[in-house]
Amino acid sequence: MDSDDLGLFGPGSVTWKVHDEPILIVAGLRSLFLQALHPRAMAGVAQNSNYRTDAWGRLLRTATYVATTVYGTTAEAEAAGARLRRLHDRLRATDTLTGTEFRIDEPDLLRWVHVTEVESFLSTARRAGLPLSDDEVDGYYTEQRRAAALVGLDPATVPGTAAEVADYYEAVRPQLRMTREAAETAVFLTAPPLPWKLSLPVRLGLTLGPPRWAYLGIAGTAFALLPTWARRMYGGLGLPTTALSADLSVRALRLALAAVPRRYLEGPLIQAAKERAARHATASLAG
């Protein structure tokens, strides 16, 4: 295996530019709020995962998967996709509205998860202040078709531009519902149990210590960044001032994260990818 393989995207891609933003932690939560509005997608998660008892473990596994597809070598990204496809292949769930059984890897469900995720990454980064041209926005969606292929989707069926993403949301909205499961998930995402070390103050009776307040702020910002129609489905305000407040909050959070040394924000996958890119650039200059 080429030790300097740059993976599916590489340092010149819009994908690396977007995912270099630590603010994407907010984007991940935003995508989960959105995904919960799809009854079948929500049923698939609720019936096949222990997200309530292992919320942070599931979040870590998802973040690791995304980091691997973005920053891993081509072989690492393809292996991660193959593992996910094998997992999905054996999972089934029951539609809570019709009682019919369905596969977790139905293309419509995979596409919903993919689009809500990548649109959340892009829109959050942009609203936080990352400068991206319209061409770069379309380029990001086109590049992310490679990630869609890893989960088993035909890239040709995946929105590849901002206009196609907007059309997709318009087409899928009639299928979305504010179900009991969606409401319970939204409450859970807003105030999940903290990891043991962070929850110690709670066990001692300090119910709203700094970690809890910090997370509530992040979750509140993620919810406020939802499209107007999604906030309204949850019963939230769809006013322009809500969006403005969200923009100000996410920009302030991005500035705060910019003050944190990168070594504390970048995991080993990102560091290894940047080291490979540096070696590749050096070799190119030498050649």
Side-chain angles (χ1 to χ4, degrees), residues 5 12 19 33 69 90 109 119 212 220 224 244 248 287:
D5 173 74
H19 286 262
F33 280 118
T69 61
R90 62 176 185 265
L109 298 183
E119 186 270 327
R212 176 66 76 189
L244 176 60
L248 292 174

Side-chain angles (χ1 to χ4, degrees), residues 233-284:
M233 288 184 72
Y234 273 117
L237 296 176
L239 301 175
T241 51
T242 304
L244 176 60
S245 176
D247 288 347
L248 292 174
S249 296
V250 77
R251 283 174 180 264
L253 182 55
R254 181 175 182 246
L255 288 174
L257 289 171
V260 179
R262 277 284 173 159
R263 65 181 180 275
Y264 297 124
L265 299 174
E266 294 181 346
L269 279 167
I270 299 177
Q271 294 171 2
K274 290 185 175 181
E275 290 170 3
R276 288 197 307 275
R279 291 196 299 271
H280 189 272
T282 300
S284 296

Side-chain angles (χ1 to χ4, degrees), residues 51-114:
Y51 77 96
R52 290 185 180 275
T53 57
D54 186 30
W56 297 99
R58 186 171 187 269
L59 181 63
L60 179 61
R61 289 189 292 274
T62 300
T64 300
Y65 175 81
V66 172
T68 301
T69 61
V70 171
Y71 290 107
T73 64
T74 301
E76 288 170 341
E78 290 177 346
R83 287 192 297 270
L84 190 62
R85 292 195 304 274
R86 287 195 297 271
L87 173 64
H88 286 168
D89 182 62
R90 62 176 185 265
L91 297 181
R92 305 290 185 274
T94 300
D95 190 315
T96 56
L97 299 177
T98 66
T100 58
E101 186 180 76
F102 63 91
R103 294 176 59 98
I104 296 300
D105 58 359
E106 287 183 355
D108 285 349
L109 298 183
L110 295 177
R111 191 159 35 248
W112 169 249
V113 172
H114 171 82

